[in-house]
Amino acid sequence: MTRTAIVTGAGRGIGAATARRLAADGHAVAVLDLDAAHCADTVAAIADAGGTAIAVGADVSDASAVEAAVQRVVDELGAPTILVNNAGILRDNLLFKMTEDDWDAVMNVHLRGAFLMSRAVQAHQVAAGWGRIVNLSSTSALGNRGQANYSAAKAGMQGLTKTLAIELGRYGVTANAIAPGFIVTDMTRATAERIGVGFDDFVAHAAKEIPVARAGQPDDIAAAASFFCSEEAGFVSGQVLYVAGGPRA
């Protein structure tokens, strides 16, 4: 059955791969990012493959922008019943160097953004009696040097997910989280630059520490999101799936 999906942070990386995968699954996809222009390549790729997508620009941490974006999706694609909260940023630093702005920026995009998007979309899911929410967490939720803000936000995404599952389950809405490990994206490239390591060496070093002996790709995460958004996953809710090439505590 064709549904309408919103994927945030979908201009590139994991979000773009997830948007393409959901479109391939037969859904109409709103490709949302801070600037709609950043979504052009993703939308074009979906259209070229015969899918349906629109580009939507919105700051997910801005309540009015979120409401306007969701209304535009309703008007152009139909009521959204699938939501993937993927939008995120990095402001890495050691605790003693981290500023309040570093902390607030990360919390606002990851947690406030997921809250605002979920709040806006759940009304349409409840009305339909069916919905899927997928939140992007991270293995950093278990703690990671230089990422006090990011780790806290990603741990928060797991708590949010479990609460949404409890509150919305009776309305036919599931909520699950994906916690990626090392994935080859522009974000991990930025991390390599921050610590002064060549990206190829950074990826190779990461792969040595992963039991399946390779770094992850955005499509690995998109595949997990596809399952969580499927009809068959209706009895799976409140779960955190670590997609990291090996076990995580």
Side-chain angles (χ1 to χ4, degrees):
M1 180 176 180
T2 298
R3 309 277 187 181
T4 295
I6 299 175
V7 183
T8 70
R12 62 182 183 174
I14 290 171
T18 299
R20 293 193 302 268
R21 177 60 184 263
L22 292 180
D25 290 343
H27 304 301
V29 182
V31 180
L32 191 150
D33 215 309
L34 185 60
D35 185 340
H38 296 162
C39 305
D41 289 346
T42 307
V43 170
I46 290 172
D48 289 346
T52 300
I54 61 170
V56 180
D59 177 353
V60 295
S61 69
D62 182 317
S64 60
V66 165
E67 291 293 339
V70 172
Q71 186 57 53
R72 183 183 162 206
V73 174
V74 172
D75 294 341
E76 297 189 26
L77 294 179
T81 53
I82 296 173
L83 171 64
V84 180
N85 285 310
N86 169 74
I89 61 171
L90 291 177
R91 294 291 186 272
D92 293 352
N93 226 324
L94 294 174
L95 179 63
F96 77 100
K97 293 181 179 179
M98 188 173 289
T99 68
E100 291 91 338
D101 286 345
D102 291 336
W103 178 271
D104 291 344
V106 169
M107 291 296 166
N108 284 342
V109 175
H110 292 268
L111 279 177
R112 180 180 168 90
F115 157 65
L116 291 174
M117 289 297 305
S118 299
R119 188 179 66 178
V121 170
Q122 62 81 31
H124 301 287
Q125 296 172 324
V126 170
W130 190 97
R132 300 286 187 264
I133 297 173
V134 179
N135 293 322
L136 268 293
S137 179
S138 169
T139 54
S140 291
L142 302 172
N144 198 31
R145 179 179 173 84
Q147 290 193 317
N149 49 5
Y150 187 78
S151 295
K154 289 308 192 183
M157 292 291 271
Q158 297 188 17
L160 173 63
T161 297
K162 293 176 182 295
T163 299
L164 293 178
I166 292 168
E167 292 189 6
L168 299 176
R170 70 185 63 188
Y171 304 108
V173 181
T174 66
N176 292 285
I178 300 170
F182 187 96
I183 309 295
V184 177
T185 65
D186 288 344
M187 189 173 281
T188 48
R189 185 180 296 275
T191 299
E193 291 175 358
R194 176 179 64 84
I195 64 177
V197 177
F199 190 54
D200 289 345
D201 291 338
F202 191 55
V203 173
H205 176 76
K208 290 179 182 178
E209 304 297 319
I210 299 171
V212 300
R214 71 169 176 87
Q217 298 294 328
D219 285 344
D220 293 316
I221 308 306
S226 174
F227 167 69
F228 279 141
C229 294
S230 69
E231 299 287 341
E232 293 83 357
F235 202 56
V236 181
S237 196
Q239 302 306 302
V240 180
L241 177 63
Y242 281 82
V243 184
R248 292 291 175 136

